[in-house]
PDB file of all heavy atoms in Angstrom:
ATOM      1  N   ILE A  82     -11.862 -11.989  22.679  1.00  0.00           N
ATOM      2  CA  ILE A  82     -10.482 -11.644  23.066  1.00  0.00           C
ATOM      3  C   ILE A  82     -10.453 -11.408  24.562  1.00  0.00           C
ATOM      4  O   ILE A  82     -11.181 -10.550  25.094  1.00  0.00           O
ATOM      5  CB  ILE A  82      -9.989 -10.389  22.306  1.00  0.00           C
ATOM      6  CG1 ILE A  82      -9.867 -10.733  20.814  1.00  0.00           C
ATOM      7  CG2 ILE A  82      -8.677  -9.913  22.843  1.00  0.00           C
ATOM      8  CD1 ILE A  82      -9.559  -9.578  19.936  1.00  0.00           C
ATOM      9  N   THR A  86      -5.974 -14.567  25.575  1.00  0.00           N
ATOM     10  CA  THR A  86      -5.595 -14.396  24.177  1.00  0.00           C
ATOM     11  C   THR A  86      -4.255 -13.674  24.079  1.00  0.00           C
ATOM     12  O   THR A  86      -3.385 -14.078  23.330  1.00  0.00           O
ATOM     13  CB  THR A  86      -6.669 -13.583  23.448  1.00  0.00           C
ATOM     14  OG1 THR A  86      -7.965 -13.979  23.870  1.00  0.00           O
ATOM     15  CG2 THR A  86      -6.593 -13.780  21.949  1.00  0.00           C
ATOM     16  N   PHE A  87      -4.134 -12.577  24.874  1.00  0.00           N
ATOM     17  CA  PHE A  87      -2.881 -11.799  24.857  1.00  0.00           C
ATOM     18  C   PHE A  87      -1.743 -12.684  25.375  1.00  0.00           C
ATOM     19  O   PHE A  87      -0.610 -12.599  24.828  1.00  0.00           O
ATOM     20  CB  PHE A  87      -3.059 -10.582  25.726  1.00  0.00           C
ATOM     21  CG  PHE A  87      -3.749  -9.451  25.045  1.00  0.00           C
ATOM     22  CD1 PHE A  87      -5.142  -9.319  25.130  1.00  0.00           C
ATOM     23  CD2 PHE A  87      -3.065  -8.558  24.241  1.00  0.00           C
ATOM     24  CE1 PHE A  87      -5.830  -8.302  24.494  1.00  0.00           C
ATOM     25  CE2 PHE A  87      -3.727  -7.528  23.571  1.00  0.00           C
ATOM     26  CZ  PHE A  87      -5.096  -7.411  23.707  1.00  0.00           C
ATOM     27  N   VAL A  90      -0.490 -14.967  22.648  1.00  0.00           N
ATOM     28  CA  VAL A  90       0.298 -14.245  21.640  1.00  0.00           C
ATOM     29  C   VAL A  90       1.665 -13.891  22.170  1.00  0.00           C
ATOM     30  O   VAL A  90       2.684 -14.096  21.523  1.00  0.00           O
ATOM     31  CB  VAL A  90      -0.514 -13.016  21.133  1.00  0.00           C
ATOM     32  CG1 VAL A  90       0.376 -12.161  20.250  1.00  0.00           C
ATOM     33  CG2 VAL A  90      -1.754 -13.454  20.447  1.00  0.00           C
ATOM     34  N   LEU A  91       1.637 -13.285  23.387  1.00  0.00           N
ATOM     35  CA  LEU A  91       2.878 -12.692  23.855  1.00  0.00           C
ATOM     36  C   LEU A  91       3.913 -13.733  24.352  1.00  0.00           C
ATOM     37  O   LEU A  91       5.093 -13.440  24.360  1.00  0.00           O
ATOM     38  CB  LEU A  91       2.579 -11.717  25.017  1.00  0.00           C
ATOM     39  CG  LEU A  91       1.792 -10.490  24.641  1.00  0.00           C
ATOM     40  CD1 LEU A  91       1.433  -9.663  25.874  1.00  0.00           C
ATOM     41  CD2 LEU A  91       2.521  -9.641  23.628  1.00  0.00           C
ATOM     42  N   THR A  96       5.969 -14.885  17.567  1.00  0.00           N
ATOM     43  CA  THR A  96       5.430 -13.537  17.450  1.00  0.00           C
ATOM     44  C   THR A  96       6.534 -12.470  17.521  1.00  0.00           C
ATOM     45  O   THR A  96       6.559 -11.536  16.720  1.00  0.00           O
ATOM     46  CB  THR A  96       4.440 -13.259  18.592  1.00  0.00           C
ATOM     47  OG1 THR A  96       3.505 -14.321  18.625  1.00  0.00           O
ATOM     48  CG2 THR A  96       3.706 -11.901  18.363  1.00  0.00           C
ATOM     49  N   TRP A  97       7.473 -12.690  18.460  1.00  0.00           N
ATOM     50  CA  TRP A  97       8.557 -11.733  18.584  1.00  0.00           C
ATOM     51  C   TRP A  97       9.504 -11.798  17.488  1.00  0.00           C
ATOM     52  O   TRP A  97      10.043 -10.767  17.054  1.00  0.00           O
ATOM     53  CB  TRP A  97       9.254 -11.995  19.991  1.00  0.00           C
ATOM     54  CG  TRP A  97       8.313 -11.771  21.092  1.00  0.00           C
ATOM     55  CD1 TRP A  97       7.719 -12.710  21.842  1.00  0.00           C
ATOM     56  CD2 TRP A  97       7.840 -10.509  21.514  1.00  0.00           C
ATOM     57  NE1 TRP A  97       6.871 -12.074  22.772  1.00  0.00           N
ATOM     58  CE2 TRP A  97       6.896 -10.773  22.564  1.00  0.00           C
ATOM     59  CE3 TRP A  97       8.019  -9.151  21.137  1.00  0.00           C
ATOM     60  CZ2 TRP A  97       6.227  -9.709  23.245  1.00  0.00           C
ATOM     61  CZ3 TRP A  97       7.363  -8.166  21.819  1.00  0.00           C
ATOM     62  CH2 TRP A  97       6.469  -8.466  22.843  1.00  0.00           C
ATOM     63  N   PHE A  99       8.740 -12.616  14.326  1.00  0.00           N
ATOM     64  CA  PHE A  99       8.079 -11.956  13.213  1.00  0.00           C
ATOM     65  C   PHE A  99       8.110 -10.443  13.386  1.00  0.00           C
ATOM     66  O   PHE A  99       8.281  -9.706  12.435  1.00  0.00           O
ATOM     67  CB  PHE A  99       6.597 -12.431  13.075  1.00  0.00           C
ATOM     68  CG  PHE A  99       6.408 -13.862  12.691  1.00  0.00           C
ATOM     69  CD1 PHE A  99       5.448 -14.610  13.241  1.00  0.00           C
ATOM     70  CD2 PHE A  99       7.267 -14.410  11.727  1.00  0.00           C
ATOM     71  CE1 PHE A  99       5.296 -15.940  12.884  1.00  0.00           C
ATOM     72  CE2 PHE A  99       7.107 -15.745  11.353  1.00  0.00           C
ATOM     73  CZ  PHE A  99       6.131 -16.491  11.921  1.00  0.00           C
ATOM     74  N   SER A 100       7.874  -9.986  14.661  1.00  0.00           N
ATOM     75  CA  SER A 100       7.947  -8.562  14.934  1.00  0.00           C
ATOM     76  C   SER A 100       9.292  -7.993  14.592  1.00  0.00           C
ATOM     77  O   SER A 100       9.415  -6.915  13.959  1.00  0.00           O
ATOM     78  CB  SER A 100       7.652  -8.292  16.397  1.00  0.00           C
ATOM     79  OG  SER A 100       6.388  -8.733  16.788  1.00  0.00           O
ATOM     80  N   PHE A 103       9.788  -7.915  10.810  1.00  0.00           N
ATOM     81  CA  PHE A 103       8.985  -6.835  10.280  1.00  0.00           C
ATOM     82  C   PHE A 103       9.608  -5.482  10.603  1.00  0.00           C
ATOM     83  O   PHE A 103       9.616  -4.581   9.763  1.00  0.00           O
ATOM     84  CB  PHE A 103       7.554  -6.917  10.743  1.00  0.00           C
ATOM     85  CG  PHE A 103       6.611  -5.968  10.128  1.00  0.00           C
ATOM     86  CD1 PHE A 103       6.647  -5.768   8.698  1.00  0.00           C
ATOM     87  CD2 PHE A 103       5.732  -5.253  10.866  1.00  0.00           C
ATOM     88  CE1 PHE A 103       5.756  -4.887   8.129  1.00  0.00           C
ATOM     89  CE2 PHE A 103       4.851  -4.363  10.272  1.00  0.00           C
ATOM     90  CZ  PHE A 103       4.886  -4.164   8.922  1.00  0.00           C
TER      91      PHE A 103
ATOM     92  N   GLY B  78       5.990 -10.173   6.180  1.00  0.00           N
ATOM     93  CA  GLY B  78       6.117  -9.834   7.572  1.00  0.00           C
ATOM     94  C   GLY B  78       4.792  -9.950   8.323  1.00  0.00           C
ATOM     95  O   GLY B  78       4.768 -10.519   9.415  1.00  0.00           O
ATOM     96  N   VAL B  79       3.768  -9.434   7.772  1.00  0.00           N
ATOM     97  CA  VAL B  79       2.473  -9.452   8.469  1.00  0.00           C
ATOM     98  C   VAL B  79       1.742 -10.764   8.203  1.00  0.00           C
ATOM     99  O   VAL B  79       1.180 -11.396   9.135  1.00  0.00           O
ATOM    100  CB  VAL B  79       1.571  -8.298   7.974  1.00  0.00           C
ATOM    101  CG1 VAL B  79       0.262  -8.309   8.766  1.00  0.00           C
ATOM    102  CG2 VAL B  79       2.276  -6.987   8.236  1.00  0.00           C
ATOM    103  N   SER B  80       1.743 -11.288   6.983  1.00  0.00           N
ATOM    104  CA  SER B  80       0.967 -12.428   6.641  1.00  0.00           C
ATOM    105  C   SER B  80       1.429 -13.697   7.345  1.00  0.00           C
ATOM    106  O   SER B  80       0.655 -14.554   7.721  1.00  0.00           O
ATOM    107  CB  SER B  80       0.922 -12.654   5.136  1.00  0.00           C
ATOM    108  OG  SER B  80       2.204 -13.079   4.663  1.00  0.00           O
ATOM    109  N   SER B  82       2.776 -13.888  10.379  1.00  0.00           N
ATOM    110  CA  SER B  82       2.271 -13.894  11.759  1.00  0.00           C
ATOM    111  C   SER B  82       0.800 -14.263  11.829  1.00  0.00           C
ATOM    112  O   SER B  82       0.330 -14.775  12.816  1.00  0.00           O
ATOM    113  CB  SER B  82       2.527 -12.555  12.417  1.00  0.00           C
ATOM    114  OG  SER B  82       1.762 -11.584  11.791  1.00  0.00           O
ATOM    115  N   ALA B  83       0.053 -13.992  10.774  1.00  0.00           N
ATOM    116  CA  ALA B  83      -1.345 -14.299  10.779  1.00  0.00           C
ATOM    117  C   ALA B  83      -1.618 -15.811  10.700  1.00  0.00           C
ATOM    118  O   ALA B  83      -2.455 -16.362  11.409  1.00  0.00           O
ATOM    119  CB  ALA B  83      -2.082 -13.632   9.605  1.00  0.00           C
ATOM    120  N   PHE B  86      -1.224 -18.612  13.969  1.00  0.00           N
ATOM    121  CA  PHE B  86      -2.289 -19.030  14.888  1.00  0.00           C
ATOM    122  C   PHE B  86      -3.583 -19.368  14.119  1.00  0.00           C
ATOM    123  O   PHE B  86      -3.880 -18.671  13.169  1.00  0.00           O
ATOM    124  CB  PHE B  86      -2.602 -17.903  15.867  1.00  0.00           C
ATOM    125  CG  PHE B  86      -1.438 -17.537  16.721  1.00  0.00           C
ATOM    126  CD1 PHE B  86      -0.667 -16.383  16.392  1.00  0.00           C
ATOM    127  CD2 PHE B  86      -1.014 -18.302  17.791  1.00  0.00           C
ATOM    128  CE1 PHE B  86       0.397 -16.019  17.168  1.00  0.00           C
ATOM    129  CE2 PHE B  86       0.046 -17.930  18.549  1.00  0.00           C
ATOM    130  CZ  PHE B  86       0.758 -16.793  18.279  1.00  0.00           C
ATOM    131  N   PRO B  89      -9.272 -17.299  15.333  1.00  0.00           N
ATOM    132  CA  PRO B  89      -9.413 -15.966  14.764  1.00  0.00           C
ATOM    133  C   PRO B  89      -9.039 -14.848  15.738  1.00  0.00           C
ATOM    134  O   PRO B  89      -8.376 -13.900  15.359  1.00  0.00           O
ATOM    135  CB  PRO B  89     -10.866 -15.901  14.389  1.00  0.00           C
ATOM    136  CG  PRO B  89     -11.320 -17.301  14.264  1.00  0.00           C
ATOM    137  CD  PRO B  89     -10.509 -18.112  15.193  1.00  0.00           C
ATOM    138  N   SER B  90      -9.453 -14.946  17.008  1.00  0.00           N
ATOM    139  CA  SER B  90      -9.195 -13.849  17.954  1.00  0.00           C
ATOM    140  C   SER B  90      -7.721 -13.774  18.252  1.00  0.00           C
ATOM    141  O   SER B  90      -7.159 -12.657  18.318  1.00  0.00           O
ATOM    142  CB  SER B  90     -10.022 -14.042  19.227  1.00  0.00           C
ATOM    143  OG  SER B  90      -9.661 -15.285  19.792  1.00  0.00           O
ATOM    144  N   VAL B  91      -7.046 -14.917  18.426  1.00  0.00           N
ATOM    145  CA  VAL B  91      -5.595 -14.900  18.711  1.00  0.00           C
ATOM    146  C   VAL B  91      -4.883 -14.323  17.468  1.00  0.00           C
ATOM    147  O   VAL B  91      -3.967 -13.518  17.572  1.00  0.00           O
ATOM    148  CB  VAL B  91      -5.098 -16.331  18.977  1.00  0.00           C
ATOM    149  CG1 VAL B  91      -3.587 -16.336  19.281  1.00  0.00           C
ATOM    150  CG2 VAL B  91      -5.851 -16.922  20.164  1.00  0.00           C
ATOM    151  N   ARG B  92      -5.348 -14.692  16.274  1.00  0.00           N
ATOM    152  CA  ARG B  92      -4.757 -14.225  15.048  1.00  0.00           C
ATOM    153  C   ARG B  92      -4.869 -12.714  14.945  1.00  0.00           C
ATOM    154  O   ARG B  92      -3.857 -12.024  14.566  1.00  0.00           O
ATOM    155  CB  ARG B  92      -5.506 -14.880  13.861  1.00  0.00           C
ATOM    156  CG  ARG B  92      -4.867 -14.637  12.537  1.00  0.00           C
ATOM    157  CD  ARG B  92      -5.586 -15.356  11.442  1.00  0.00           C
ATOM    158  NE  ARG B  92      -5.276 -16.766  11.385  1.00  0.00           N
ATOM    159  CZ  ARG B  92      -5.538 -17.526  10.349  1.00  0.00           C
ATOM    160  NH1 ARG B  92      -6.163 -17.018   9.326  1.00  0.00           N
ATOM    161  NH2 ARG B  92      -5.237 -18.794  10.316  1.00  0.00           N
ATOM    162  N   ALA B  93      -6.040 -12.181  15.343  1.00  0.00           N
ATOM    163  CA  ALA B  93      -6.231 -10.714  15.282  1.00  0.00           C
ATOM    164  C   ALA B  93      -5.245  -9.991  16.204  1.00  0.00           C
ATOM    165  O   ALA B  93      -4.620  -8.994  15.794  1.00  0.00           O
ATOM    166  CB  ALA B  93      -7.655 -10.374  15.665  1.00  0.00           C
ATOM    167  N   VAL B  94      -5.090 -10.503  17.406  1.00  0.00           N
ATOM    168  CA  VAL B  94      -4.155  -9.873  18.407  1.00  0.00           C
ATOM    169  C   VAL B  94      -2.744  -9.977  17.875  1.00  0.00           C
ATOM    170  O   VAL B  94      -1.955  -9.015  17.975  1.00  0.00           O
ATOM    171  CB  VAL B  94      -4.320 -10.507  19.769  1.00  0.00           C
ATOM    172  CG1 VAL B  94      -3.285  -9.946  20.720  1.00  0.00           C
ATOM    173  CG2 VAL B  94      -5.721 -10.224  20.323  1.00  0.00           C
ATOM    174  N   ALA B  95      -2.395 -11.162  17.313  1.00  0.00           N
ATOM    175  CA  ALA B  95      -1.036 -11.366  16.808  1.00  0.00           C
ATOM    176  C   ALA B  95      -0.665 -10.396  15.662  1.00  0.00           C
ATOM    177  O   ALA B  95       0.386  -9.807  15.713  1.00  0.00           O
ATOM    178  CB  ALA B  95      -0.814 -12.789  16.349  1.00  0.00           C
ATOM    179  N   VAL B  96      -1.608 -10.206  14.721  1.00  0.00           N
ATOM    180  CA  VAL B  96      -1.336  -9.314  13.627  1.00  0.00           C
ATOM    181  C   VAL B  96      -1.165  -7.896  14.154  1.00  0.00           C
ATOM    182  O   VAL B  96      -0.257  -7.148  13.759  1.00  0.00           O
ATOM    183  CB  VAL B  96      -2.476  -9.371  12.590  1.00  0.00           C
ATOM    184  CG1 VAL B  96      -2.307  -8.274  11.568  1.00  0.00           C
ATOM    185  CG2 VAL B  96      -2.444 -10.721  11.915  1.00  0.00           C
ATOM    186  N   ALA B  97      -1.994  -7.503  15.091  1.00  0.00           N
ATOM    187  CA  ALA B  97      -1.896  -6.135  15.707  1.00  0.00           C
ATOM    188  C   ALA B  97      -0.597  -5.978  16.415  1.00  0.00           C
ATOM    189  O   ALA B  97       0.095  -4.934  16.269  1.00  0.00           O
ATOM    190  CB  ALA B  97      -3.060  -5.895  16.654  1.00  0.00           C
ATOM    191  N   MET B  98      -0.173  -6.992  17.157  1.00  0.00           N
ATOM    192  CA  MET B  98       1.069  -6.911  17.895  1.00  0.00           C
ATOM    193  C   MET B  98       2.265  -6.754  16.960  1.00  0.00           C
ATOM    194  O   MET B  98       3.152  -5.862  17.177  1.00  0.00           O
ATOM    195  CB  MET B  98       1.300  -8.201  18.769  1.00  0.00           C
ATOM    196  CG  MET B  98       0.633  -8.189  20.097  1.00  0.00           C
ATOM    197  SD  MET B  98       1.263  -6.888  21.164  1.00  0.00           S
ATOM    198  CE  MET B  98       2.969  -7.310  21.191  1.00  0.00           C
ATOM    199  N   VAL B  99       2.318  -7.589  15.940  1.00  0.00           N
ATOM    200  CA  VAL B  99       3.453  -7.596  14.986  1.00  0.00           C
ATOM    201  C   VAL B  99       3.458  -6.246  14.249  1.00  0.00           C
ATOM    202  O   VAL B  99       4.543  -5.644  14.081  1.00  0.00           O
ATOM    203  CB  VAL B  99       3.360  -8.756  14.027  1.00  0.00           C
ATOM    204  CG1 VAL B  99       4.371  -8.610  12.899  1.00  0.00           C
ATOM    205  CG2 VAL B  99       3.620 -10.031  14.744  1.00  0.00           C
ATOM    206  N   THR B 100       2.318  -5.740  13.822  1.00  0.00           N
ATOM    207  CA  THR B 100       2.293  -4.459  13.119  1.00  0.00           C
ATOM    208  C   THR B 100       2.747  -3.325  14.024  1.00  0.00           C
ATOM    209  O   THR B 100       3.537  -2.429  13.577  1.00  0.00           O
ATOM    210  CB  THR B 100       0.858  -4.171  12.595  1.00  0.00           C
ATOM    211  OG1 THR B 100       0.349  -5.323  11.970  1.00  0.00           O
ATOM    212  CG2 THR B 100       0.901  -3.052  11.563  1.00  0.00           C
ATOM    213  N   MET B 101       2.304  -3.392  15.295  1.00  0.00           N
ATOM    214  CA  MET B 101       2.667  -2.324  16.223  1.00  0.00           C
ATOM    215  C   MET B 101       4.160  -2.274  16.512  1.00  0.00           C
ATOM    216  O   MET B 101       4.811  -1.259  16.310  1.00  0.00           O
ATOM    217  CB  MET B 101       1.892  -2.526  17.582  1.00  0.00           C
ATOM    218  CG  MET B 101       2.083  -1.425  18.528  1.00  0.00           C
ATOM    219  SD  MET B 101       1.320  -1.793  20.108  1.00  0.00           S
ATOM    220  CE  MET B 101       2.526  -2.934  20.803  1.00  0.00           C
ATOM    221  N   THR B 102       4.712  -3.404  16.946  1.00  0.00           N
ATOM    222  CA  THR B 102       6.136  -3.450  17.268  1.00  0.00           C
ATOM    223  C   THR B 102       7.032  -3.253  15.978  1.00  0.00           C
ATOM    224  O   THR B 102       8.029  -2.605  16.052  1.00  0.00           O
ATOM    225  CB  THR B 102       6.556  -4.751  17.956  1.00  0.00           C
ATOM    226  OG1 THR B 102       5.893  -5.851  17.366  1.00  0.00           O
ATOM    227  CG2 THR B 102       6.214  -4.730  19.392  1.00  0.00           C
ATOM    228  N   GLY B 103       6.510  -3.824  14.902  1.00  0.00           N
ATOM    229  CA  GLY B 103       7.275  -3.712  13.669  1.00  0.00           C
ATOM    230  C   GLY B 103       7.384  -2.284  13.187  1.00  0.00           C
ATOM    231  O   GLY B 103       8.470  -1.834  12.712  1.00  0.00           O
ATOM    232  N   ASN B 104       6.327  -1.521  13.306  1.00  0.00           N
ATOM    233  CA  ASN B 104       6.372  -0.113  12.818  1.00  0.00           C
ATOM    234  C   ASN B 104       7.151   0.775  13.716  1.00  0.00           C
ATOM    235  O   ASN B 104       7.418   1.953  13.346  1.00  0.00           O
ATOM    236  CB  ASN B 104       4.922   0.403  12.624  1.00  0.00           C
ATOM    237  CG  ASN B 104       4.347  -0.002  11.303  1.00  0.00           C
ATOM    238  OD1 ASN B 104       5.034   0.023  10.283  1.00  0.00           O
ATOM    239  ND2 ASN B 104       3.100  -0.373  11.318  1.00  0.00           N
ATOM    240  N   LEU B 105       7.560   0.284  14.902  1.00  0.00           N
ATOM    241  CA  LEU B 105       8.459   1.099  15.727  1.00  0.00           C
ATOM    242  C   LEU B 105       9.792   1.342  15.014  1.00  0.00           C
ATOM    243  O   LEU B 105      10.500   2.312  15.307  1.00  0.00           O
ATOM    244  CB  LEU B 105       8.748   0.367  17.069  1.00  0.00           C
ATOM    245  CG  LEU B 105       7.596   0.348  18.086  1.00  0.00           C
ATOM    246  CD1 LEU B 105       7.959  -0.469  19.280  1.00  0.00           C
ATOM    247  CD2 LEU B 105       7.226   1.774  18.518  1.00  0.00           C
TER     248      LEU B 105
END
Side-chain angles (χ1 to χ4, degrees):
Chain A
I82 294 173
T86 321
F87 280 92
V90 172
L91 294 176
T96 308
W97 296 105
F99 292 141
S100 299
F103 186 46
Chain B
V79 182
S80 69
S82 65
F86 299 102
S90 58
V91 181
R92 188 177 282 197
V94 174
V96 170
M98 274 300 301
V99 169
T100 315
M101 185 186 77
T102 40
N104 276 320
L105 287 176

